[in-house]
Amino acid sequence: MFRKILFISLALLLSSSAVKFALFNQPVLAAPIAVDRRTREQILGATVFISMFVPLTDAQGNPQYVRVDGQRAIQLTVGEGLGTMVRHGEEVVIVTHDHWPLPASERLDGSTGSPTPELVEGRRTLRRVEFRNVDHELLLEMSGEQFLQLIRYRDGGTMVLSAPDVLAGRLSAVPLGGSDSAGKNDMVTLAHRQSHSGQIGVAKMRVQKEITYKGQPVYRLTSLNGEVVIEGNSGGGVLFDGQLIGNMWGTIMVEEVSRVSGSGAGSPQQTSFSLAAQLPEAVVGQ
């Protein structure tokens, strides 16, 4: 047997892809690394829980229907993740991941001002978006079209949204850090969704190294207290010295693979190792 290393994107809890990483030994700590109260309150006060509702489709892309009160309705599935309220100059924006169930582009045509085909498709597929705080209290609900109009930047890894006034008034915001703020062995703090309860808390992790994944700069992190980055954690803020420096992408998993058949010999196992996207220069320099 040998081990295959997998990276699991946690935006929709569905996708996975092979990635060539070597596991490293995690240090044994005499005591858990604590997060001070001020840092905990700073992160949780700026974290928003985002849910996107899109139609459930079959293999051919046809929407699936259910009966609700005797009426036929499109069956919806939900993608969940986190975002962070950030002070960007004189504005407040939301930084999250860009692995949501959206078309590759949704912007208006710059020459004509008319909707692109991607925007039309986005309006059709994204039905509803909800924003909640870490206590899962509903703060704002909007249509898919309204959400698409909030997008200011996206690159396939990081998305920046204009923060609606109602969110800016209910949540706090953290300052924006630089993409080169943290380096190897620095400790960072992140919003962390707990596996047993779904409750959103705070975790400490160490930057193991900076690498490139699918053409984008990322931090490879290792947990200091054994926390595992789970489903719905994507997009959560990564802070260093109180400033946002990136957003969580997903966890690294290992799977035993037969040398004979090349197929998996068991279920993939979660690890305490994860990837977080660094803030793009286009965002930091705006």
Side-chain angles (χ1 to χ4, degrees):
M1 297 286 185
F2 66 96
R3 289 170 125 186
K4 181 167 75 174
I5 312 302
L6 303 175
F7 170 69
I8 306 299
S9 170
L10 301 176
L12 285 179
L13 328 184
L14 298 176
S15 60
S16 66
S17 56
V19 58
K20 297 178 181 178
F21 287 130
L23 291 179
F24 55 91
N25 293 326
Q26 186 177 359
V28 177
L29 301 174
I33 300 296
V35 179
D36 65 89
R37 179 178 177 180
R38 181 179 178 182
T39 300
R40 179 181 299 275
E41 291 178 348
Q42 180 191 32
I43 296 177
L44 296 183
T47 296
V48 59
F49 183 72
I50 305 171
S51 300
M52 293 190 188
F53 297 83
V54 297
L56 182 66
T57 59
D58 60 18
Q60 288 71 46
N62 300 311
Q64 301 298 290
Y65 294 88
V66 293
R67 288 283 176 180
V68 179
D69 297 329
Q71 302 293 319
R72 194 172 80 148
I74 293 178
Q75 188 172 358
L76 299 179
T77 185
V78 60
E80 298 178 337
L82 304 177
T84 307
M85 303 284 287
V86 180
R87 291 193 298 274
H88 191 263
E90 297 182 356
E91 299 179 272
V92 176
V93 297
I94 300 172
V95 176
T96 183
H97 64 83
D98 192 18
H99 304 151
W100 294 103
L102 297 173
S105 173
E106 74 303 309
R107 306 188 189 285
L108 294 176
D109 186 293
S111 58
T112 65
S114 59
T116 63
E118 291 83 5
L119 177 57
V120 174
E121 176 68 10
R123 289 171 174 171
R124 184 184 71 82
T125 57
L126 182 59
R127 296 304 177 94
R128 186 172 84 252
V129 179
E130 294 179 353
F131 297 88
R132 300 175 183 269
N133 60 19
V134 294
D135 295 320
H136 299 282
E137 175 189 1
L138 181 63
L139 303 178
L140 179 64
E141 181 178 337
M142 63 176 56
S143 68
E145 182 171 350
Q146 290 173 316
F147 176 85
L148 293 175
Q149 300 305 321
L150 297 179
I151 298 175
R152 295 179 48 176
Y153 173 86
R154 61 184 304 198
D155 60 10
T158 299
M159 179 182 291
V160 179
L161 309 168
S162 296
D165 291 341
V166 65
L167 297 183
R170 298 287 300 276
L171 300 170
S172 57
V174 299
L176 190 69
S179 57
D180 58 351
S181 300
K184 184 177 180 180
N185 292 327
D186 282 331
M187 286 198 296
V188 297
T189 314
L190 60 134
H192 177 257
R193 195 176 182 191
Q194 300 176 24
S195 58
H196 60 282
S197 65
Q199 181 178 354
I200 301 171
V202 176
K204 279 281 190 184
M205 292 196 177
R206 188 185 303 278
V207 177
Q208 196 264 338
K209 59 181 174 180
E210 299 176 55
I211 61 174
T212 299
Y213 179 70
K214 292 190 174 180
Q216 296 183 334
V218 300
Y219 297 109
R220 180 174 174 175
L221 308 176
T222 177
S223 170
L224 296 179
N225 295 328
E227 297 96 342
V228 175
V229 176
I230 65 160
E231 297 86 350
N233 243 118
S234 276
V238 179
L239 275 70
F240 178 68
D241 283 347
Q243 298 181 320
L244 185 82
I245 62 167
N247 75 87
M248 290 303 300
W249 270 7
T251 192
I252 297 173
M253 304 183 74
V254 295
E255 179 183 18
E256 297 292 337
V257 177
S258 170
R259 291 187 179 276
V260 177
S261 65
S263 59
S267 300
Q269 300 298 310
Q270 291 178 321
T271 72
S272 298
F273 314 125
S274 54
L275 298 183
Q278 297 181 20
L279 280 179
E281 290 294 338
V283 174
V284 176
Q286 283 183 347

